């Protein structure tokens, strides 16, 4: 229309990329946390942020999300709502064991609803922006044997719609 905006108009300008960060390490993981019935809403866009290349293909992904989980064992995300998030909704990053994502609703997501992405053990001086060098790097190439990736996770009974609005 052409008139004045309604007097009860509410404008939301998202400022945060990550609304909840659950981060431990492979050697000191966060254990047995349950996130139940939480609404995640209005995280800012991430499509202009630094990206990594998960599979040496022609696509890239940003390692951030509204709910970021890394370095965990036995985390459950259930009965929650993820809506109007301009980046990724849920990232299961790096070392995670026995994570369950169940009966959640994802809608109007700018990136991906659920991402599960590990790290590879790059060469000593690879410069890969997300990798923290360790002492067991191989002589050359990518090596995923150090366990710094998600295993034994369950994604069950979730619904997702209007996903990938800004990133495909």
């Amino acid at each position: 229309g052409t008139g004045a905006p309604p007097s009860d108009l509410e404008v939301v300008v998202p400022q945060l990329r990550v609304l909840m960060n659950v981060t431990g390490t492979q050697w000191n993981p966060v254990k047995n946390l349950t996130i139940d019935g939480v609404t995640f809403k209005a995280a800012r866009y991430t499509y202009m942020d630094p990206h990594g290349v998960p599979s040496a293909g022609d696509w890239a992904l940003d390692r951030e999300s509204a709910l970021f989980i890394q370095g965990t064992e036995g985390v459950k995300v259930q009965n929650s709502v993820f809506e109007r998030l301009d980046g990724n909704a849920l990232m299961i990053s790096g070392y995670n064991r026995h994570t369950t994502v169940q009966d959640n609703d994802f809608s109007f997501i700018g990136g991906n609803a659920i991402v599960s992405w590990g790290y590879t053990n790059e060469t000593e001086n690879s410069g890969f922006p997300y990798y923290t060098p360790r002492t067991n790097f191989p002589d050359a190439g990518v090596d995923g044997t150090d366990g710094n990736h998600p295993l034994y996770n369950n994604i069950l009974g979730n619904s997702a719609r209007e996903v990938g609005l800004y990133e495909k």
Side-chain angles (χ1 to χ4, degrees), residues 1-163:
T2 58
S7 61
D8 61 347
L9 177 68
E10 180 181 356
V11 177
V12 176
V13 180
Q15 299 293 312
L16 300 175
R17 294 173 182 86
V18 179
L19 303 179
M20 182 183 290
N21 185 349
V22 179
T23 298
T25 68
Q26 186 172 349
W27 303 274
N28 187 21
V30 174
K31 293 184 179 183
N32 303 318
L33 173 70
T34 298
I35 299 167
D36 189 352
V38 176
T39 297
F40 295 89
K41 192 174 188 177
R44 75 175 285 262
Y45 68 88
T46 59
Y47 54 84
M48 296 298 288
D49 293 350
H51 283 54
V53 181
S55 65
D58 62 350
W59 64 285
L61 187 63
D62 48 313
R63 194 182 288 273
E64 48 195 3
S65 61
L67 173 53
F68 185 83
I69 300 173
Q70 180 169 277
T72 71
E73 294 177 0
V75 168
K76 294 179 184 175
V77 180
Q78 60 193 24
N79 307 310
S80 293
V81 174
F82 296 79
E83 65 182 1
R84 305 259 180 222
L85 302 168
D86 288 347
N88 298 315
L90 170 60
M91 170 79 65
I92 304 168
S93 173
Y95 178 84
N96 288 279
R97 300 295 184 265
H98 303 285
T99 301
T100 300
V101 180
Q102 185 169 5
D103 299 328
N104 300 287
D105 183 58
F106 298 85
S107 62
F108 299 99
I109 308 299
N112 299 282
I114 303 169
V115 179
S116 182
W117 181 18
Y119 291 95
T120 54
N121 195 3
E122 304 276 335
T123 57
E124 181 181 16
N125 296 310
S126 67
F128 188 68
Y130 300 110
Y131 179 68
T132 303
R134 298 207 14 235
T135 59
N136 65 339
F137 55 84
D139 289 331
V142 176
D143 178 3
T145 61
D146 66 355
N148 200 6
H149 48 273
L151 283 175
Y152 316 116
N153 299 316
N154 291 297
I155 312 297
L156 307 164
N158 300 284
S159 64
R161 61 188 182 283
E162 292 88 22
V163 175

